[in-house]
Amino acid sequence: MAVTDLAPIHRGFAKKRFKSFAIPAGILIYLTYAFFAFDIPGLAQRFRSDNAMIMISGAWSYKTHVTQDNRRNAVSVSIEGERRATYEDNDWPEWVARDGASTAIALPHDQSVRFDPDAVRVTVPDYGTITVTNTDGVQVQTPDGTLPAWITASNTRADIRLDGGRISVTRARSEVFRYFPGWELFFFTLSSPFHDMSWGQIAASAVSSEQIRPGMSNIAAMASDFWNNDMWRHKDVVWALFETLLMAFLGTIGAALISFPLAFLAAKNFMPVAPARFGIRRVFDFVRGVDALIWTIILSRAFGPGPMTGALAILITDTGSFGKLFSESLENIDEKQVDGLRSTGANALQRGRFGVIPQVAPVILSQVLYFLESNTRGATVIGAMVGGGIGLLLTQAIQTQKDWENVAYYIVLIVLLVMAMDSLSGWLRRKLIRGDG
Amino acid sequence: MTDTIRDDYLAAARRKRMYSGILLILFVAMLAGGFDLAQSRNAGGFLSGLSRIFDFPGELLAEAFQKAGNIPGHMWTYLPSLIETINIAAVATLFGALIGGALSLLATRGLARWPALIPVFRRLLDICRAVPEVVIALALIFAMGGGPVPAMVAIAFHTIGALGKLFSEVNENADLKPVEGLSSVGASWSQRMWLGILPQVAPNWLSYALLRFEINVRASAILGFVGAGGIGYELKNAISWGQGRFDAAASIFLLLFLTIVAIDQLSSRWRNSLIEGEHGRH
């Protein structure tokens, strides 16, 4: 008896043992295939470590350019080389100084650079002075006559990388880049009187009655300078975030409003005509199957780029998903409440209002809120495709390949926005469904 | 006495109705205002666009019917990039589920290896979930050049967060008795999870992962359109060729539609059988 009874158990064990071996093995085989299908070995060659470095350092630091135009011998100091962020000639940062016909630039670790009339001289402690002349092609002279790895030189260009900065000399211009941590000009640009102030001074001038800009209180002037900051474009960014939220809101709510009545037609207990039910359901399936990508392309063709196109793309895709979800929850209602209302002589509309909606409302609302939250994130991607909202700003900033501090800023804002929507929708869901605070 | 109660009740009901009426009006006003605003910031208006909405699909279909003979050939041509799109989604789902699963165990009360760090892991999952795929994909494309890896990493990152949260909800319902039994015989944390928790949560985890895979196939196609390779990239190119060569775009549309429907069907069937199996066991 014992032997025959044990056989199925043994078989079960064998099956389990096989499974616990076969599943990891299957995953491993698939990953090996993907390893080659994705050309991971070739990735090492394609990986642009210089680009990655530019991106990472650009995200949390900025550089100030000291540029000498070699034809006109004019020196200018600007942040990130932006014309809008050029220092006035009499108001250079203290590490750049004019010295007769030369310009002296101090770098960290006691390194320094001089733009002399005849050459660019770079002084590195414990190494010596590197001289770069520019009269007959670009020529680099190092103290020991050999080029270390951190200097690249050719006939047309010399590039010297130091710890705290970089020097680049071409025929047309000599440039020094000095790196600083942080997001410069985030609050006030150079044109604002508040730029040169410390936080204490700003706080003091906020409460003082002495108007820096006549006819305007200092707080209003600060707010206006911050709001109209043309380097960080806070106004546009806030607008773009709002547009993204708007797309998600209009798309989600619009989809819910359209699919709710349609869901009745797709639910077995409300639509007795099977072919009609079947037809509506296939419409929902079709709309979902066509996918947001294709809808977005079709709609952009008709409506042009902009937030409305994005909202409509979300609306159409979600109509399919909502229709399916809503009709399922309509099919799951308790018929007893409807019967009770019918016994009091309520008509179909009243039965729906008092018998059906109270039952499905919590489920539907929580689904709508959940979609609203996930569509906030989706609207970023759709915005990148249809050209609206923060997605557009983000793709633009990435395409310039140098405004990585803006990219980092937008990413932080997007993540905060999505997390805020996440907690808001979670809070509302708890409140609506439980009916308490 | 009864009259005052009835009056009070009716007054309260009226008040409630009035409040919901005001809320409804506000809500509708917000919708209308929002739509108006969105339309004013859009390149084309709603009504003028509405009449054109079927132009592009019409052209596409007309051309597709005209050159119906080309469609199978095109579909065969684009099959490799479709497979790439699906591979991106599959690998991303796999990595997302593995890492998200590990993080979900670390973020569940009662199971966590380091209970003090539960809030840290929860926040980590929240952040992963909040980052839109396109952000990571575009940044990685700059560092790595195109290809499937940026899209895969981007989708996997988001999947970690999305699945990690759902998984940890599943974990919370797991029976802790097997874990206690295992710890009484001196099992390590990983043994307790592997032998005590995973067998309980595996069907639900798998079901969520399959649902995620459906979503990820769509996301992977979209990322391709933004520049990350796969069928979305081919679609973008095919559309930019313009009229006269829309048969290629139509084939890609068709291919994408069929794939999404097929994956939806297969995965929902598999998920149903998982859930039924679960019910059968109880």
Side-chain angles (χ1 to χ4, degrees), chain A residues 20 24 27 30-31 33-34 37-40 43 46-49 51-52 54-55 239-240 242-243 246 249-250 253-254 257 285-294 297-299 301-312 316-317 324 370 373 377 380-382 384-385 394-395 398 401 404 407 411 414-416 418-419 422 429, chain B residues 27 30-31 34-35 37-39 41-50 52-53 56-57 59 83-84 86-88 90-91 94-95 98 123 126-127 129-135 138-140 142-149 152 158 165 194 212 214 218 221-223 225-226 232 235 239-240 242 246 252-253 256-257 260-261 264-265:
Chain A
S20 66
I27 292 178
Y30 178 69
L31 286 181
Y33 154 73
F38 287 0
D39 191 24
I40 304 283
L43 192 69
R46 272 178 290 139
F47 186 74
R48 302 280 310 270
S49 60
N51 276 0
I54 291 172
M55 187 168 80
W239 256 110
F242 175 72
E243 248 179 42
L246 188 68
F249 176 76
L250 289 178
I253 305 294
L257 290 180
D285 285 348
F286 175 76
V287 167
R288 270 180 333 121
V290 169
D291 191 37
L293 171 63
I294 299 175
I297 293 168
I298 292 175
L299 292 172
R301 289 249 160 179
F303 297 105
M308 188 186 70
T309 310
L312 290 175
I316 293 187
T317 324
K324 184 170 187 265
Y370 176 72
E373 179 233 316
R377 192 176 40 248
T380 315
V381 188
I382 289 191
M385 292 188 337
L394 186 78
T395 40
I398 289 178
Q401 302 205 339
W404 295 107
V407 174
I411 291 176
I414 292 170
V415 170
L416 288 180
V418 174
M419 284 170 86
D422 188 11
R429 255 181 294 173
Chain B
F27 190 71
M30 251 168 81
L31 262 181
F35 183 79
L37 186 70
Q39 189 181 354
R41 292 174 77 86
N42 212 64
F46 181 69
L47 287 176
S48 60
L50 208 56
R52 285 199 305 268
I53 197 163
F56 177 59
E59 279 171 30
I83 291 175
E84 181 168 88
I86 296 176
N87 272 336
I88 290 171
V91 176
L94 204 55
F95 276 123
L98 291 176
R123 280 293 106 174
D126 283 348
I127 292 173
R129 206 151 39 95
V131 180
E133 288 109 344
V134 68
V135 168
L138 287 178
L140 286 184
F142 178 66
M144 293 180 176
V149 178
M152 193 275 283
H158 178 66
K165 189 190 179 200
W194 184 253
R212 197 71 225 172
E214 286 175 40
R218 294 163 185 257
I222 290 186
L223 284 187
F225 196 81
V226 186
L235 179 61
I239 287 177
S240 66
F246 275 151
I252 297 178
F253 275 138
L256 203 55
F257 176 73
I260 285 173
V261 170
D264 269 22
Q265 291 294 329

Side-chain angles (χ1 to χ4, degrees), chain B residues 101-120:
Chain B
L103 286 178
S104 82
L105 290 172
L106 293 171
T108 310
R109 230 171 274 125
L111 299 181
R113 176 85 176 78
W114 305 281
L117 294 182
I118 287 176
V120 177

Side-chain angles (χ1 to χ4, degrees), chain A residues 112-267:
Chain A
S112 64
V113 184
R114 282 180 69 86
F115 290 155
D116 287 327
D118 57 327
V120 175
R121 294 195 169 77
V122 182
T123 310
V124 180
D126 302 329
Y127 181 72
T129 299
I130 307 156
T131 311
V132 186
T133 53
N134 205 352
T135 42
D136 185 25
V138 176
Q139 283 176 338
V140 180
Q141 267 183 319
T142 52
D144 53 7
T146 59
L147 282 184
W150 41 275
I151 301 180
T152 48
S154 72
N155 208 13
T156 53
R157 182 187 183 94
D159 205 48
I160 305 171
R161 285 168 190 278
L162 301 174
D163 301 331
R166 190 159 74 81
I167 298 104
S168 139
V169 181
T170 62
R171 268 200 91 77
R173 57 166 71 170
S174 313
E175 262 186 309
V176 176
F177 310 102
R178 182 171 170 177
Y179 293 89
F180 295 92
W183 289 348
E184 182 61 355
L185 310 181
F186 183 77
F187 294 99
F188 304 113
T189 50
L190 292 175
S191 62
S192 164
F194 302 105
H195 175 256
D196 294 328
M197 295 186 184
S198 69
W199 286 114
Q201 284 170 314
I202 287 175
S205 70
V207 293
S208 97
S209 58
E210 189 188 328
Q211 291 183 345
I212 293 179
R213 204 166 291 161
M216 208 179 199
S217 80
N218 283 345
I219 292 185
M222 278 177 209
S224 141
D225 280 0
F226 174 73
W227 187 241
N228 296 311
N229 180 332
D230 63 353
M231 294 291 289
W232 286 85
R233 304 199 297 160
H234 297 295
K235 188 169 70 179
D236 299 343
V237 172
V238 171
W239 256 110
L241 284 175
F242 175 72
E243 248 179 42
T244 300
L245 265 184
L246 188 68
M247 283 195 262
F249 176 76
L250 289 178
T252 316
I253 305 294
L257 290 180
I258 291 174
S259 53
F260 185 63
L262 290 178
F264 281 91
L265 300 180

